[in-house]
Amino acid sequence: MGYKVDFKQMNHIFEQLSDEYDIYAPKRFKKQGRYSDTDIVRYDRVENIEDVVFDQKSDYPAKEVLSPITQPLFYFTEDEYRESKVNDKKILIFMRPCDVHAMKRQNRVYLQNGGFEDFYYKRLQEKVKIVLMECCTGWDTCFCVSMGTNKTDEYSIGVRCLDNELLVEVKDDEFNSYFEDAANDDFKVEFIEKNQIEVKIPEIKDKEVLAKLKEHPMWQSFNSRCISCGACTIACSTCTCFTTTDIMYNENMNIGERKRTSASCQIDGFSDMAGGHSFRPTAGDRMRYKILHKFHDYKARFKDYHMCVGCGRCTSRCPEYISVTKTVEKMAAAIEEIEREGK
């Protein structure tokens, strides 16, 4: 079913939905950006439709709703522990198609990897319903079409934002009752067909090429560019690495909590081991690891698609203006060079 609603009607629908759902969407935070007098757009709970940012790609991804940057896991005393609690409401998230695909990647890692299900992720993910934000134009760092993540049918509601009104497509019958007073419309979500950027992802045909690619000098060029700040991985919609920390309370050292916090493979020390050994001691080593993970390792492991969804947030957030698409192009050229030399 399709509908047309103005913002006043939609806010009334939000009010009704809030009895059962926590609603999350990209929201503008004024003067909280990277530089003074700049804003930032990130996911947070919203109470009205005016809070939802439709005309700008969020600086940080929707994944923060289900895997927050910092998350308490459990609280403990000297002889028992208690898991952290979440409220009983279901979760309604406004997402673009690339973020819907990114959630599929996260589901794979947290719920289907090695026969283990992450309890803390699952208890949130199983409550999610998706409001798809129509995305027909994209932005200058997007390459979702190249990654095959520009379209999806996995949503309950689809919306297009016009001036002070929304066109709404309801696919999940559970939500039709909320729009019973709205005008009917034949709206169907449309999708972007061509990005400003196109990238062809190279295939690594065998282990010999992969081994030579890992030793290729192209990676060391990042030693003088990448500052290992981790901004790209925090902004990435598919990164899942985290670290855990036990926090002991000063009042009683036998009482505390365990938290997990998002971590970055780009930070110096991420791969350090006891005894001082480090697998990836240079920025170039770490960049090689990240790019191969996004554009080879994940697909080799799960046999379907690459981990990257082409949202372009890593490029947008990099303070050194390192482009992921240009890096992939350099990798493709390196593979061609290796294959020529091998003939």
Side-chain angles (χ1 to χ4, degrees):
M1 294 290 291
Y3 306 95
K4 179 185 288 187
V5 295
D6 60 32
F7 279 12
K8 183 178 179 180
Q9 289 175 293
M10 196 63 196
N11 284 333
H12 178 64
I13 292 170
F14 267 32
E15 186 177 349
Q16 293 177 300
L17 285 166
S18 65
D19 291 336
E20 189 175 357
Y21 289 90
D22 283 332
I23 305 173
Y24 288 87
K27 182 177 178 180
R28 183 176 303 278
F29 290 82
K30 292 186 176 298
K31 300 187 186 303
Q32 295 187 28
R34 178 184 291 165
Y35 308 109
S36 61
D37 278 346
T38 61
D39 302 340
I40 199 164
V41 178
R42 61 177 177 81
Y43 273 78
D44 197 23
R45 287 181 59 183
V46 294
E47 296 181 354
N48 56 71
I49 192 63
E50 289 87 354
D51 283 342
V52 182
V53 177
F54 286 96
D55 60 353
Q56 181 179 337
K57 179 170 61 178
S58 64
D59 296 290
Y60 293 100
K63 75 173 185 181
E64 292 185 7
V65 179
L66 303 183
S67 51
I69 290 179
T70 299
Q71 181 182 29
L73 301 181
F74 57 82
Y75 304 90
F76 57 85
T77 64
E78 54 192 1
D79 56 1
E80 61 182 3
Y81 75 95
R82 177 181 65 80
E83 294 162 351
S84 59
K85 296 179 180 179
V86 294
N87 67 44
D88 294 330
K89 286 187 177 181
K90 291 184 281 188
I91 299 171
L92 193 65
I93 311 179
F94 281 70
M95 289 182 172
R96 300 189 189 277
C98 62
D99 277 320
V100 175
H101 284 276
M103 189 172 73
K104 291 172 64 176
R105 272 71 166 169
Q106 286 222 305
N107 291 349
R108 175 71 62 73
V109 172
Y110 282 115
L111 303 178
Q112 303 165 13
N113 190 14
F116 172 77
E117 290 185 340
D118 186 295
F119 165 78
Y120 299 97
Y121 179 85
K122 182 179 180 180
R123 66 180 181 175
L124 294 175
Q125 195 280 331
E126 64 188 6
K127 300 195 298 179
V128 167
K129 298 279 188 176
I130 295 170
V131 178
L132 187 71
M133 304 168 70
E134 185 180 73
C135 193
C136 295
T137 57
W139 285 269
D140 60 354
T141 60
C142 298
F143 56 104
C144 58
V145 176
S146 297
M147 303 310 299
T149 57
N150 54 312
K151 298 180 181 181
T152 182
D153 59 1
E154 297 182 18
Y155 58 94
S156 297
I157 302 172
V159 295
R160 175 189 296 168
C161 184
L162 305 175
D163 291 336
N164 297 312
E165 65 181 7
L166 293 179
L167 299 181
V168 181
E169 176 192 0
V170 177
K171 292 182 61 179
D172 187 335
D173 290 340
E174 172 187 340
F175 293 98
N176 277 315
S177 62
Y178 292 100
F179 295 91
E180 58 187 8
D181 295 327
N184 290 333
D185 193 277
D186 60 358
F187 168 68
K188 298 288 184 183
V189 170
E190 296 180 359
F191 301 96
I192 188 170
E193 298 290 346
K194 183 178 178 62
N195 296 126
Q196 296 180 42
I197 296 174
E198 294 183 26
V199 59
K200 184 177 180 180
I201 311 302
E203 294 295 330
I204 301 172
K205 65 180 183 181
D206 55 41
K207 290 183 178 180
E208 181 180 356
V209 172
L210 178 60
K212 290 180 179 179
L213 178 62
K214 289 180 177 179
E215 299 300 322
H216 196 277
M218 67 157 285
W219 304 113
Q220 300 314 310
S221 67
F222 292 101
N223 289 338
S224 60
R225 291 195 63 195
C226 177
I227 59 175
S228 299
C229 66
C232 57
T233 48
I234 297 301
C236 176
S237 58
T238 62
C239 279
T240 56
C241 289
F242 60 84
T243 186
T244 56
T245 306
D246 286 342
I247 301 173
M248 313 303 291
Y249 299 156
N250 291 334
E251 295 81 2
N252 185 339
M253 296 301 290
N254 293 320
I255 300 175
E257 62 182 286
R258 175 165 293 179
K259 286 188 173 184
R260 69 176 172 194
T261 304
S262 296
S264 171
C265 63
Q266 298 304 284
I267 298 293
D268 187 16
F270 179 83
S271 63
D272 286 359
M273 296 180 62
H277 180 71
S278 177
F279 287 104
R280 296 179 288 277
T282 71
D285 294 333
R286 295 188 286 273
M287 182 65 71
R288 178 198 65 211
Y289 175 79
K290 183 187 76 170
I291 296 298
L292 286 177
H293 187 56
K294 299 296 182 183
F295 298 98
H296 173 71
D297 298 344
Y298 181 92
K299 185 176 181 179
R301 168 74 172 86
F302 295 112
K303 312 298 183 187
D304 42 24
Y305 37 70
H306 290 294
M307 192 175 196
C308 177
V309 296
C311 72
R313 289 186 178 96
C314 56
T315 301
S316 299
R317 296 299 295 169
C318 178
E320 295 296 305
Y321 305 105
I322 295 173
S323 165
V324 66
T325 51
K326 291 298 183 183
T327 303
V328 171
E329 289 176 1
K330 289 180 181 179
M331 182 174 74
I335 292 172
E336 290 181 1
E337 176 188 321
I338 292 166
E339 291 177 342
R340 283 197 305 270
E341 291 176 351
K343 290 182 180 179

